[in-house]
Amino acid sequence: MTRIVYLNGDYLPETEARVSIFDRGFLMADGVYEVTSVLDGKLIDFDGHIRRLERSLRELEMSCPISSADLLTVHRELVARNGIDQGMIYLQVTRGNPGDRSFLFPPADLPGTVVAFTQNIPNLADAPAAKVGFRVITIPDLRWSRVDIKTVQLLYPSMGKMAAKKAGVDDSWFIDEAGAVTEGTSNNAYIVKGNRIITRALGNDILHGITRAAVLRFAAEAQFEVEERAFTPAEAQGADEAFATAASIFVMPVVEVDGKPVGTGKPGPVATRLREIYLDEMRKAAI
């Protein structure tokens, strides 16, 4: 079945959707995006994603041509029209089409481009990978210094995914100049030592994960100690457990770092329990 997508106020078959070659999202990666999970036909943490979208737009001095209320309508309509029970909705907002290429921002009143589409993933909540865990390698973090803004300039994360694929593993973790882990290619990174969950503090050098915020809240409520600081690959290899979080993977155990097992080399009880708590609580709160 051909997907129905959203483009600037219209719902269209994906084969009919067109964006100008002069759109700044295409020419300059001048745009931001969000990915919202869908479980049981409902949106997970939609308000959190919209708040982060608004922050990203502010940081880039970009306006959004559609209201938050209308974005909710669009998301729900796409779920309904495409019959999504489990999956994702990708939303992208760019600075629009100025009619030619220029490094300078176009006038502020130029309408932006808004695109949204669904990805049907029937086993999103029961992903087989969660039962065996991710294996990761580490690579230098060569991204620009404002990765807290969720922009569409994803070439280096894509290269990180490809480096992992070529190494026969699941993902790459980025390492800063000090030798500490920043985050994964499309997820936040954590280690577990005893009752303590350790993850890098928020700043310009990591994405302010919506799933991260929810998982840390649930962890604190479950009486885990949360420590926000940098950690090294060696610490991860010596930890009891490790895991990653994102809207696309929820809570994913990490069982190997640079070829060395973490803990028992299998998904541990903390990551497994946090995944259960997250899915249960977010399903209750879904809209």
Side-chain angles (χ1 to χ4, degrees), residues 112-131:
T113 299
V114 181
V115 173
F117 59 83
T118 58
Q119 292 177 293
N120 186 38
I121 310 174
N123 62 346
L124 183 63
D126 300 312
K131 295 178 174 60

Side-chain angles (χ1 to χ4, degrees), residues 6-283:
Y6 175 88
L7 173 60
N8 291 338
D10 295 321
Y11 295 94
L12 303 165
E14 60 182 311
T15 53
E16 297 179 15
R18 299 287 186 272
V19 177
S20 169
I21 64 168
F22 297 115
D23 192 275
R24 285 182 60 90
F26 173 67
L27 292 178
M28 303 285 184
D30 190 359
V32 300
Y33 76 102
E34 283 293 334
V35 179
T36 302
S37 304
V38 178
L39 291 178
D40 310 320
K42 295 183 178 181
L43 304 170
I44 300 297
D45 217 340
F46 178 79
D47 289 343
H49 286 286
I50 293 303
R51 286 195 300 271
R52 186 171 62 183
L53 176 73
E54 292 170 344
R55 178 184 182 275
S56 294
L57 290 165
R58 286 196 304 272
E59 291 297 310
L60 295 180
E61 301 178 20
M62 191 186 303
S63 60
C64 186
I66 183 171
S67 69
S68 297
D70 286 341
L71 281 174
L72 176 57
T73 299
V74 168
H75 279 62
R76 285 175 164 166
E77 187 69 18
L78 287 175
V79 168
R81 291 194 183 210
N82 292 286
I84 303 298
D85 180 64
Q86 292 191 37
M88 318 288 297
I89 297 183
Y90 179 91
L91 168 69
Q92 179 169 305
V93 181
T94 80
R95 209 178 298 269
N97 167 25
D100 209 339
R101 181 180 182 272
S102 172
F103 282 93
L104 298 178
F105 288 173
D109 59 355
L110 179 77
T113 299
V114 181
V115 173
F117 59 83
T118 58
Q119 292 177 293
N120 186 38
I121 310 174
N123 62 346
L124 183 63
D126 300 312
K131 295 178 174 60
V132 296
F134 270 10
R135 294 179 297 145
V136 306
I137 57 172
T138 59
I139 62 174
D141 194 342
L142 302 181
R143 302 171 297 171
W144 80 314
S145 60
R146 288 304 307 276
V147 297
D148 58 303
I149 306 172
K150 198 171 178 68
T151 70
V152 299
Q153 49 178 310
L154 296 171
L155 178 57
Y156 192 66
S158 180
M159 293 173 70
K161 296 281 190 190
M162 289 305 300
K165 182 178 181 179
K166 290 174 183 177
V169 299
D170 303 288
D171 199 14
S172 295
W173 276 3
F174 295 131
I175 306 298
D176 66 17
E177 292 181 351
V181 174
T182 50
E183 59 186 346
T185 56
S186 58
N187 47 71
N188 294 120
Y190 311 73
I191 58 175
V192 179
K193 293 186 176 182
N195 195 51
R196 203 158 23 107
I197 296 170
I198 301 167
T199 190
R200 196 176 183 101
L202 294 180
N204 292 349
D205 48 5
I206 69 169
L207 184 67
H208 298 194
I210 302 306
T211 308
R212 176 190 185 277
V215 168
L216 291 184
R217 183 174 73 251
F218 296 145
E221 292 172 355
Q223 305 304 308
F224 288 101
E225 179 186 348
V226 175
E227 182 178 356
E228 295 184 82
R229 66 163 176 84
F231 61 85
T232 66
E235 280 188 276
Q237 292 167 340
D240 299 328
E241 298 181 41
F243 63 92
T245 64
S248 58
I249 57 174
F250 306 125
V251 180
M252 179 61 65
V254 172
V255 299
E256 180 184 291
V257 176
D258 286 335
K260 294 185 178 181
V262 178
T264 65
K266 298 179 180 180
V270 174
T272 300
R273 180 59 182 145
L274 285 175
R275 182 180 178 88
E276 292 172 350
I277 293 172
Y278 177 84
L279 287 170
D280 183 51
E281 293 300 322
M282 298 313 288
R283 273 178 154 139

